[in-house]
Amino acid sequence: VGQATPGVASTGLHPTHDVLRPRLLAVLSFPDTDELEVHLVLDGRRTIGRAPASDGLVAAAHATVEAVRGLDLGLSPAAHWARPIDSDGDIIVMVAISVDTEGTEQTLYGISSGTSPIDAAARATLDALNRLVSRLLAT
């Protein structure tokens, strides 16, 4: 049974902006099969990205990137690293990530907190990518 990180979105709209952006629905970890899933929604379309859970924080970034690719936005990002930047004992409360985008020759950076380390890494990946996605969807 997977462990869910809650994050419910009824639409693909970011709550504080009237901009269409992918939203994180859930980050699931399946230790018995070494799989991590990231579930996204954008304007009613849902996607799931997967990566080996044993890859640590960068697995959440890889799975998020795969889910973004599944939205067919013409974007080919690649996650490079994910690092904890703040922690409280054994619990990581903030994660930073780096993502490159093919075709745009850009390196994007994101930072976020979360309810778990993998949740923070998925949110940081969306933090980096959502600025680019918003520009793509506006055109």
Side-chain angles (χ1 to χ4, degrees):
V1 176
Q3 299 171 341
T5 301
V8 177
S10 60
T11 70
L13 293 177
H14 190 280
T16 59
H17 308 286
D18 287 328
V19 177
L20 197 60
R21 295 181 177 185
R23 297 273 319 274
L24 183 66
L25 291 175
V27 178
L28 304 171
S29 178
F30 301 94
D32 53 329
T33 59
D34 189 35
E35 190 170 54
L36 185 137
E37 291 183 354
V38 171
H39 296 243
L40 300 180
V41 65
L42 174 67
D43 197 27
R45 293 179 294 158
R46 292 180 64 150
T47 61
I48 300 172
R50 294 177 176 86
S54 58
D55 288 347
L57 291 178
V58 77
H62 287 303
T64 305
V65 161
E66 183 180 310
V68 168
R69 284 186 188 143
L71 294 169
D72 296 324
L73 301 173
L75 189 61
S76 296
H80 284 283
W81 54 259
R83 307 271 192 285
I85 59 169
D86 191 16
S87 65
D88 181 14
D90 293 334
I91 300 173
I92 298 167
V93 293
M94 294 205 82
V95 171
I97 62 91
S98 169
V99 177
D100 284 344
T101 56
E102 294 177 19
T104 65
E105 306 304 318
Q106 291 182 17
T107 299
L108 306 172
Y109 300 95
I111 185 171
S112 186
S113 61
T115 58
S116 71
I118 58 174
D119 179 65
R123 290 177 187 282
T125 306
L126 283 178
D127 178 53
L129 292 174
N130 270 341
R131 291 182 292 277
L132 182 58
V133 168
S134 293
R135 287 194 302 265
L136 288 172
L137 291 172
T139 59

